[in-house]
Amino acid sequence: MQPAEPTLTPAGGGERRELAISGMTCASCSGRVEKVLRKVPGVLHAEVNLATEHATVLGVDGVLRPADLIAAVQRAGYGARLLTGDAAQDRAAAEEDAAIRRREGRRVFAALVLCAPLILPMAGLSLPGWVAFALATPVQFYFGRRFYVGAWKALRAGTGNMDLLVALGSSAAYFYSFYLLADGSGRPLYFEGAAVVIALVMLGKWMEARAKHSTTAAIRALMSLRPESARVERDGGEIEVPADAVAVDDVVVVRPGERLPVDGVLMSGTGGVDESLLTGESLPVEKHPGDRVVGGSINGAGLLRIRTSAVGARSTLARIIALVENAQSKKPPVQRLVDRIAAVFVAVVLAFALATFLTWWLGFGRFDTGLIAAISVLVIACPCSLGLATPTALMVGTGTAARAGILIRDAEALERAHDLTTLVVDKTGTLTEGKPVVTDIAAVEPGGEDALLCLTASAQTGSEHPLARAILARATGLSLRPVAQFQSRAGLGLTASIDGNHVAIGNRRLMTEHGVSFEPLAAAASKLESEGRTVMWVASLLPAPRLLGFIAVADPIKPTALEAIRDLRSAGLEIVLLTGDNRRTAAAVAAALGIERVLAEVLPDDKVVEVRRLQTAGRHVGMVGDGVNDAPALAAADIGFAMGGGADAAMAAAGITLMRGDPLLIGDAIAVSRATYRKIRQGLFWAFFYNLIGMPAAALGLLNPMIAGAAMAASSVTVVVNALLLRRWRPTARSRR
């Protein structure tokens, strides 16, 4: 199976660049980076993901310059590094990030140790003012230096961020306490409010970074699947080369227990191949010569020789990773509201803190209370959780779905999938096996069955259509004839000239179009169609239209199709069977599966009309299909589901690709979409809850700065940890059999 290649470039051509951004602390930062990137010449669109700390830029080919992008980000006060996809560079960056987390962990521990004595007064124990000053000062200016640096960069860029709020709040508490200590008035000091706030925010950001690292586990797992080397047959022997050096048509040898380094076609050897990390299929898939195999899967007990068919970015694994990364980097529509709020958040908080201070001081004459309340407002109000709520849930959800064999193209597809009310399902290859077999041959002339089969099979030579393959398989051993004037009729059948005999082969509509009478075999065909079989009519068109007979094929219903339809209906979805097959066959399949609404004998272009008719009626429509003729309808639907093993055109048009042809995955895809969207809403709820409850409480003097700092740190950690709970989601047990 070759998944659709994701759309990585803007319409009309262009190029895409990925940047790693450093120095961002909240949603205001990511919004600022987006703005400066969009102003760079040649940039058509830019998106920044706070959770992954990556920027995705689409620009005009030949105009977009990475150096300009990096310079723009640096002028805004942040760091930027171009992501090239080089494996060695990625490993080095991952090791550097791990080192930074370890170093930050040690700094957090040291800051907490220094702050521990500062909270003794809360337990009724006294602490001399000069001791508090000595303990708080290194926390404030050494460990807290990052907040001052970040605040200065934000101010220089004409914006605000979390660093500015923390720097202002902690500095106000520290310098006011220093003034009181120097004054010798004996009034209460607030060194602990300054230092503990910094330590707690550092602790929260460190925990957040560790949690965010877990959200990218799915991508790291996929990236680790491809071996670094491959064993290739060259010059009569086997040599080991880097996996990147393997070329198309190279023959690769894979020993038992090794991972397949490339996509290809099995030349020799048999055995089970474990594709679970790629498709979610828990059981090994038996492979035989001629079968396609996928790089990253694990060879069982056989010695395999594989002719390479795709390498590098064209490989299945690379394209899966690209799809998942593309989904994780995109913003769903719900994030747009959050971005608008984050853009003005810091300014609103500063105004609210100032109003709090002035109200307490000028309104009630309580300078100290007003100052502490204002500090608490500054500290508790943080846009971090707002910026993290959506991307963290999206990253975990898409990664979890990928492990189950469900590839979500982008955030918008995920958001739409959770809201579906109607699901339009194709029949052949979706609910049925898509591998029909010939069951009956009826000729008008007695004893003419073999001649009818030979004629029909000759016309189908070279066709990849499932019905054609079934007829050609049945005609094995017959001497087929050359074909001329072949013309395919989409949704109807074909016409061709064979040995001077002009014939039409197809459904009832094609026969009616050519004026062919069904009468000699109408009753027999109707009986077979009522049993769920597809009848392919054969007629001679010259000198006059004349029925020759029919060939009936049966396409077995997939074993899990009935369960899948029941699950989808239980989830509140209306199911519509849409097929180009005849009405009797479609009705028989629908009856077996409990589907009440059937749209049969629908041409490919008319499938789009039917989907749009449902949308016009106010339905949120999903479309499931696997064939080339399903691609227009998949694109027209609110969300398209392409079944694994189907045509690349279908996968290119779909928003969600199911890596296996199991109908139960349709329900799983909708379930993980709904679960992810619930986590997004929960994250946004907690983000707004902390601020809507915390800021007024701080303004009323109900929270001291330490509690405010702890609450602010907890808000971001809560949002990320809540998103990580999505990793517990599992597909239905039946679909993993």
Side-chain angles (χ1 to χ4, degrees), residues 622-645:
M623 169 70 191
V624 188
D626 76 324
V628 173
N629 61 347
D630 297 321
L634 289 169
D638 292 290
I639 179 68
F641 299 81
M643 299 294 287

Side-chain angles (χ1 to χ4, degrees), residues 36 47 202 216 238 291 304 318 322 343 374 439 477 522 527 539 552 607 619 647 658 687 706:
V36 299
E47 285 189 358
M202 289 176 62
T216 60
E238 294 180 11
D291 289 344
L304 308 182
T439 59
K527 180 178 182 299
K607 289 185 178 183
R619 312 286 181 83
L658 309 177
M706 284 190 297

Side-chain angles (χ1 to χ4, degrees), residues 310-322:
V311 295
R314 298 294 302 173
S315 69
T316 298
L317 179 57
R319 295 164 77 182
I320 290 174
I321 292 172

Side-chain angles (χ1 to χ4, degrees), residues 429-445:
T430 302
L431 297 177
T432 64
E433 295 288 356
K435 299 177 180 177
V437 294
V438 174
T439 59
D440 299 88
I441 301 175
V444 173
E445 297 180 2

Side-chain angles (χ1 to χ4, degrees), residues 437-458:
V437 294
V438 174
T439 59
D440 299 88
I441 301 175
V444 173
E445 297 180 2
E449 287 80 5
D450 284 348
L452 182 69
L453 177 61
C454 182
L455 181 70
T456 307
S458 297

Side-chain angles (χ1 to χ4, degrees), residues 36-125:
V36 299
L37 285 173
R38 288 171 181 171
K39 293 179 181 178
V40 175
V43 171
L44 299 174
H45 183 67
E47 285 189 358
V48 176
N49 188 315
L50 178 63
T52 60
E53 297 182 329
H54 283 184
T56 302
V57 181
L58 299 179
V60 179
D61 194 11
V63 177
L64 188 66
R65 297 178 56 204
D68 293 341
L69 300 175
I70 294 173
V73 174
Q74 290 174 342
R75 284 195 301 270
Y78 305 93
R81 173 174 58 85
L82 183 67
L83 295 174
T84 63
D86 180 78
Q89 183 189 69
D90 291 342
R91 284 194 297 272
E95 292 172 0
E96 182 181 351
D97 290 342
I100 290 174
R101 287 195 301 272
R102 289 193 297 269
R103 185 163 61 249
E104 188 62 20
R106 292 193 292 268
R107 290 169 60 86
V108 169
F109 178 76
L112 290 173
V113 169
L114 288 173
C115 288
L118 293 174
I119 62 175
L120 290 177
M122 298 181 64
L125 302 175

Side-chain angles (χ1 to χ4, degrees), residues 289-370:
D291 289 344
R292 299 177 68 182
V293 292
V294 181
S297 51
I298 303 175
N299 182 22
L303 179 66
L304 308 182
R305 294 175 65 249
I306 301 165
R307 184 171 297 280
T308 304
S309 62
V311 295
R314 298 294 302 173
S315 69
T316 298
L317 179 57
R319 295 164 77 182
I320 290 174
I321 292 172
L323 273 172
V324 178
E325 288 182 328
N326 188 55
Q328 293 183 346
S329 67
K330 295 291 184 181
K331 292 183 179 180
V334 70
Q335 183 67 18
R336 295 167 190 160
L337 172 63
V338 177
D339 289 344
R340 289 196 294 269
I341 294 173
V344 299
F345 188 86
V346 173
V348 170
V349 170
L350 290 173
F352 188 69
L354 179 60
T356 297
F357 171 67
L358 293 176
T359 300
W360 279 105
W361 180 27
L362 301 180
F364 300 96
R366 299 174 64 176
F367 181 90
D368 286 16
T369 302

